[in-house]
Amino acid sequence: DRTYTISLQQLQQDVESSLTEAFGKDKVEVESSTSVSPSVGADLFNKGLLAMIYAIIGILIYIGLRFDFRYSPGAVVALIHDTMITLGIFALFGIKFTLPIISALLTIIGYSLNDTIVVYDRIRENLTKFRGMDLAKLVNQSVNETLSRTLLTSVTTLFVVLALLFLGGGLISDFALALTIGVIVGTYSSIFVASPMVIYIDGYLADRKDRAQKAAPAAA
């Protein structure tokens, strides 16, 4: 009836005993072995995804309160961009999506947000320093002023992550791969996604304000 039952625990024991017989007990060691039921695994996976969604919502509120709500969409779009690019690469290469990868995605969200806040802080400082300057030029100047800091932080972080990727081995390799992708994409999104979104949102709010002012006399 094409129905099969596989005992993974028994399979592990068989492999371990075969290796021990072939190479000797002193040369064979199982470093770690963990297993959960499918229902527990699905529950942990769903909770991990919910944690990621709650983190993004909390960041939206935090950015809105700390800066201005015109900054919030840019930060959230950048975080979603980083997450989706990382997931897309994993799906493209058929890498199994596990809980360590969800942990890596949450780490990527925090790392990318840190870069974005540094750029936003400089934009806010320059807004008070250079009043009347065109917003696009001001954002460009702010990005250039923080560019060296952003690149140095990303490169030094990549050194550590690449060491984990090539030397860590085991389950940590997928975690390190996700972080490697996230650091690269997070650096890119802070400069080319989050910052331009500030200009777009500012222009959108200005256009809506102009339309409201033009519509007011007509309504009166």
mmCIF file of all heavy atoms in Angstrom, residues 63 65-68 70-71 117-130 138 142:
data_model
loop_
_atom_site.group_PDB
_atom_site.id
_atom_site.type_symbol
_atom_site.label_atom_id
_atom_site.label_comp_id
_atom_site.label_asym_id
_atom_site.label_seq_id
_atom_site.Cartn_x
_atom_site.Cartn_y
_atom_site.Cartn_z
ATOM 1 N N ILE A 63 10.176 53.446 15.743
ATOM 2 C CA ILE A 63 10.715 54.455 14.829
ATOM 3 C C ILE A 63 9.787 55.666 14.761
ATOM 4 O O ILE A 63 10.226 56.821 14.739
ATOM 5 C CB ILE A 63 10.915 53.865 13.423
ATOM 6 C CG1 ILE A 63 11.959 52.754 13.456
ATOM 7 C CG2 ILE A 63 11.346 54.934 12.426
ATOM 8 C CD1 ILE A 63 13.356 53.218 13.735
ATOM 9 N N LEU A 65 7.788 56.816 17.087
ATOM 10 C CA LEU A 65 7.864 57.615 18.314
ATOM 11 C C LEU A 65 9.206 58.312 18.447
ATOM 12 O O LEU A 65 9.285 59.455 18.902
ATOM 13 C CB LEU A 65 7.608 56.713 19.530
ATOM 14 C CG LEU A 65 6.204 56.117 19.640
ATOM 15 C CD1 LEU A 65 6.120 55.180 20.829
ATOM 16 C CD2 LEU A 65 5.156 57.232 19.773
ATOM 17 N N ARG A 66 10.295 57.653 18.057
ATOM 18 C CA ARG A 66 11.621 58.239 18.236
ATOM 19 C C ARG A 66 11.903 59.332 17.206
ATOM 20 O O ARG A 66 12.504 60.356 17.524
ATOM 21 C CB ARG A 66 12.689 57.150 18.134
ATOM 22 C CG ARG A 66 14.096 57.736 18.216
ATOM 23 C CD ARG A 66 15.163 56.697 18.348
ATOM 24 N NE ARG A 66 16.487 57.314 18.335
ATOM 25 C CZ ARG A 66 17.619 56.670 18.466
ATOM 26 N NH1 ARG A 66 17.591 55.359 18.636
ATOM 27 N NH2 ARG A 66 18.768 57.297 18.431
ATOM 28 N N PHE A 67 11.498 59.118 15.974
ATOM 29 C CA PHE A 67 11.783 60.085 14.924
ATOM 30 C C PHE A 67 10.500 60.793 14.504
ATOM 31 O O PHE A 67 10.106 61.800 15.066
ATOM 32 C CB PHE A 67 12.426 59.378 13.716
ATOM 33 C CG PHE A 67 13.763 58.780 14.024
ATOM 34 C CD1 PHE A 67 13.893 57.447 14.366
ATOM 35 C CD2 PHE A 67 14.912 59.545 13.965
ATOM 36 C CE1 PHE A 67 15.119 56.889 14.647
ATOM 37 C CE2 PHE A 67 16.151 59.004 14.248
ATOM 38 C CZ PHE A 67 16.258 57.674 14.597
ATOM 39 N N ASP A 68 9.867 60.255 13.482
ATOM 40 C CA ASP A 68 8.646 60.823 12.937
ATOM 41 C C ASP A 68 7.993 59.691 12.152
ATOM 42 O O ASP A 68 8.691 58.822 11.630
ATOM 43 C CB ASP A 68 8.976 62.011 12.024
ATOM 44 C CG ASP A 68 7.729 62.791 11.631
ATOM 45 O OD1 ASP A 68 6.813 62.150 11.105
ATOM 46 O OD2 ASP A 68 7.680 64.007 11.847
ATOM 47 N N ARG A 70 6.913 59.641 9.319
ATOM 48 C CA ARG A 70 7.309 59.569 7.914
ATOM 49 C C ARG A 70 8.574 58.724 7.741
ATOM 50 O O ARG A 70 8.914 58.312 6.643
ATOM 51 C CB ARG A 70 7.537 60.968 7.339
ATOM 52 C CG ARG A 70 8.659 61.734 7.975
ATOM 53 C CD ARG A 70 8.820 63.088 7.319
ATOM 54 N NE ARG A 70 9.762 63.921 8.053
ATOM 55 C CZ ARG A 70 10.164 65.123 7.655
ATOM 56 N NH1 ARG A 70 9.683 65.609 6.522
ATOM 57 N NH2 ARG A 70 11.006 65.828 8.360
ATOM 58 N N TYR A 71 9.291 58.467 8.840
ATOM 59 C CA TYR A 71 10.472 57.605 8.787
ATOM 60 C C TYR A 71 10.105 56.126 8.916
ATOM 61 O O TYR A 71 10.840 55.262 8.435
ATOM 62 C CB TYR A 71 11.455 57.953 9.919
ATOM 63 C CG TYR A 71 12.116 59.291 9.797
ATOM 64 C CD1 TYR A 71 11.534 60.436 10.329
ATOM 65 C CD2 TYR A 71 13.349 59.432 9.169
ATOM 66 C CE1 TYR A 71 12.145 61.671 10.240
ATOM 67 C CE2 TYR A 71 13.975 60.662 9.073
ATOM 68 C CZ TYR A 71 13.364 61.782 9.606
ATOM 69 O OH TYR A 71 13.971 63.001 9.510
ATOM 70 N N ILE A 117 18.904 53.238 11.718
ATOM 71 C CA ILE A 117 18.768 54.277 12.737
ATOM 72 C C ILE A 117 19.960 55.235 12.701
ATOM 73 O O ILE A 117 19.807 56.445 12.907
ATOM 74 C CB ILE A 117 18.593 53.642 14.126
ATOM 75 C CG1 ILE A 117 17.187 53.078 14.265
ATOM 76 C CG2 ILE A 117 18.860 54.651 15.234
ATOM 77 C CD1 ILE A 117 16.910 52.403 15.576
ATOM 78 N N VAL A 118 21.150 54.713 12.425
ATOM 79 C CA VAL A 118 22.334 55.576 12.325
ATOM 80 C C VAL A 118 22.139 56.602 11.204
ATOM 81 O O VAL A 118 22.413 57.802 11.373
ATOM 82 C CB VAL A 118 23.598 54.725 12.084
ATOM 83 C CG1 VAL A 118 24.783 55.616 11.705
ATOM 84 C CG2 VAL A 118 23.936 53.920 13.324
ATOM 85 N N VAL A 119 21.648 56.131 10.053
ATOM 86 C CA VAL A 119 21.405 57.047 8.929
ATOM 87 C C VAL A 119 20.288 58.027 9.265
ATOM 88 O O VAL A 119 20.397 59.232 8.999
ATOM 89 C CB VAL A 119 21.064 56.246 7.656
ATOM 90 C CG1 VAL A 119 20.763 57.193 6.497
ATOM 91 C CG2 VAL A 119 22.204 55.314 7.283
ATOM 92 N N TYR A 120 19.215 57.536 9.884
ATOM 93 C CA TYR A 120 18.096 58.404 10.244
ATOM 94 C C TYR A 120 18.513 59.470 11.261
ATOM 95 O O TYR A 120 18.049 60.611 11.211
ATOM 96 C CB TYR A 120 16.947 57.563 10.803
ATOM 97 C CG TYR A 120 16.077 56.908 9.758
ATOM 98 C CD1 TYR A 120 16.347 57.063 8.397
ATOM 99 C CD2 TYR A 120 14.985 56.130 10.113
ATOM 100 C CE1 TYR A 120 15.555 56.457 7.442
ATOM 101 C CE2 TYR A 120 14.184 55.526 9.158
ATOM 102 C CZ TYR A 120 14.473 55.698 7.828
ATOM 103 O OH TYR A 120 13.678 55.106 6.885
ATOM 104 N N ASP A 121 19.363 59.089 12.196
ATOM 105 C CA ASP A 121 19.850 60.068 13.173
ATOM 106 C C ASP A 121 20.588 61.205 12.480
ATOM 107 O O ASP A 121 20.407 62.377 12.819
ATOM 108 C CB ASP A 121 20.788 59.385 14.183
ATOM 109 C CG ASP A 121 20.071 58.979 15.456
ATOM 110 O OD1 ASP A 121 19.093 59.661 15.820
ATOM 111 O OD2 ASP A 121 20.470 57.989 16.083
ATOM 112 N N ARG A 122 21.425 60.869 11.501
ATOM 113 C CA ARG A 122 22.164 61.908 10.792
ATOM 114 C C ARG A 122 21.218 62.772 9.948
ATOM 115 O O ARG A 122 21.422 63.990 9.856
ATOM 116 C CB ARG A 122 23.240 61.264 9.914
ATOM 117 C CG ARG A 122 24.161 62.272 9.233
ATOM 118 C CD ARG A 122 24.821 63.208 10.250
ATOM 119 N NE ARG A 122 25.577 62.476 11.232
ATOM 120 C CZ ARG A 122 26.862 62.183 11.102
ATOM 121 N NH1 ARG A 122 27.523 62.547 10.011
ATOM 122 N NH2 ARG A 122 27.488 61.532 12.064
ATOM 123 N N ILE A 123 20.196 62.170 9.356
ATOM 124 C CA ILE A 123 19.218 62.955 8.596
ATOM 125 C C ILE A 123 18.509 63.938 9.515
ATOM 126 O O ILE A 123 18.333 65.128 9.178
ATOM 127 C CB ILE A 123 18.190 62.022 7.906
ATOM 128 C CG1 ILE A 123 18.870 61.186 6.817
ATOM 129 C CG2 ILE A 123 17.043 62.826 7.314
ATOM 130 C CD1 ILE A 123 17.977 60.137 6.194
ATOM 131 N N ARG A 124 18.124 63.470 10.705
ATOM 132 C CA ARG A 124 17.432 64.352 11.648
ATOM 133 C C ARG A 124 18.343 65.482 12.113
ATOM 134 O O ARG A 124 17.917 66.639 12.234
ATOM 135 C CB ARG A 124 16.949 63.538 12.856
ATOM 136 C CG ARG A 124 16.130 64.348 13.846
ATOM 137 C CD ARG A 124 15.548 63.468 14.918
ATOM 138 N NE ARG A 124 16.582 62.775 15.680
ATOM 139 C CZ ARG A 124 16.317 61.975 16.714
ATOM 140 N NH1 ARG A 124 15.057 61.756 17.072
ATOM 141 N NH2 ARG A 124 17.284 61.373 17.368
ATOM 142 N N GLU A 125 19.617 65.190 12.371
ATOM 143 C CA GLU A 125 20.566 66.235 12.767
ATOM 144 C C GLU A 125 20.739 67.272 11.660
ATOM 145 O O GLU A 125 20.761 68.484 11.917
ATOM 146 C CB GLU A 125 21.918 65.609 13.105
ATOM 147 C CG GLU A 125 21.923 64.776 14.376
ATOM 148 C CD GLU A 125 23.241 64.034 14.561
ATOM 149 O OE1 GLU A 125 24.168 64.268 13.745
ATOM 150 O OE2 GLU A 125 23.343 63.229 15.501
ATOM 151 N N ASN A 126 20.856 66.806 10.430
ATOM 152 C CA ASN A 126 21.056 67.729 9.314
ATOM 153 C C ASN A 126 19.804 68.538 8.997
ATOM 154 O O ASN A 126 19.902 69.644 8.451
ATOM 155 C CB ASN A 126 21.513 66.956 8.071
ATOM 156 C CG ASN A 126 22.940 66.474 8.191
ATOM 157 O OD1 ASN A 126 23.726 67.003 8.984
ATOM 158 N ND2 ASN A 126 23.305 65.464 7.419
ATOM 159 N N LEU A 127 18.632 67.990 9.323
ATOM 160 C CA LEU A 127 17.400 68.758 9.118
ATOM 161 C C LEU A 127 17.383 70.020 9.969
ATOM 162 O O LEU A 127 16.890 71.069 9.540
ATOM 163 C CB LEU A 127 16.184 67.885 9.436
ATOM 164 C CG LEU A 127 15.691 66.942 8.336
ATOM 165 C CD1 LEU A 127 14.586 66.037 8.863
ATOM 166 C CD2 LEU A 127 15.196 67.727 7.127
ATOM 167 N N THR A 128 17.902 69.925 11.192
ATOM 168 C CA THR A 128 17.958 71.112 12.057
ATOM 169 C C THR A 128 19.170 71.989 11.722
ATOM 170 O O THR A 128 19.127 73.202 11.903
ATOM 171 C CB THR A 128 18.036 70.687 13.529
ATOM 172 O OG1 THR A 128 19.181 69.840 13.724
ATOM 173 C CG2 THR A 128 16.789 69.917 13.928
ATOM 174 N N LYS A 129 20.236 71.375 11.208
ATOM 175 C CA LYS A 129 21.460 72.140 10.902
ATOM 176 C C LYS A 129 21.337 72.906 9.586
ATOM 177 O O LYS A 129 21.807 74.038 9.465
ATOM 178 C CB LYS A 129 22.645 71.183 10.841
ATOM 179 C CG LYS A 129 24.000 71.885 10.731
ATOM 180 C CD LYS A 129 25.125 70.869 10.542
ATOM 181 C CE LYS A 129 25.216 69.924 11.732
ATOM 182 N NZ LYS A 129 26.377 68.986 11.590
ATOM 183 N N PHE A 130 20.716 72.277 8.592
ATOM 184 C CA PHE A 130 20.616 72.897 7.259
ATOM 185 C C PHE A 130 19.137 73.101 6.910
ATOM 186 O O PHE A 130 18.589 72.415 6.041
ATOM 187 C CB PHE A 130 21.283 72.016 6.207
ATOM 188 C CG PHE A 130 22.714 71.689 6.492
ATOM 189 C CD1 PHE A 130 23.071 70.434 6.970
ATOM 190 C CD2 PHE A 130 23.706 72.631 6.294
ATOM 191 C CE1 PHE A 130 24.393 70.125 7.235
ATOM 192 C CE2 PHE A 130 25.030 72.327 6.565
ATOM 193 C CZ PHE A 130 25.379 71.075 7.044
ATOM 194 N N LEU A 138 19.788 66.673 1.134
ATOM 195 C CA LEU A 138 20.105 66.478 2.544
ATOM 196 C C LEU A 138 20.257 64.995 2.886
ATOM 197 O O LEU A 138 21.172 64.603 3.607
ATOM 198 C CB LEU A 138 19.020 67.127 3.400
ATOM 199 C CG LEU A 138 19.273 67.194 4.912
ATOM 200 C CD1 LEU A 138 18.760 68.507 5.476
ATOM 201 C CD2 LEU A 138 18.592 66.041 5.643
ATOM 202 N N SER A 142 23.594 63.072 4.138
ATOM 203 C CA SER A 142 23.575 62.299 5.383
ATOM 204 C C SER A 142 24.079 60.877 5.146
ATOM 205 O O SER A 142 24.830 60.322 5.958
ATOM 206 C CB SER A 142 22.157 62.267 5.957
ATOM 207 O OG SER A 142 21.672 63.570 6.201
#
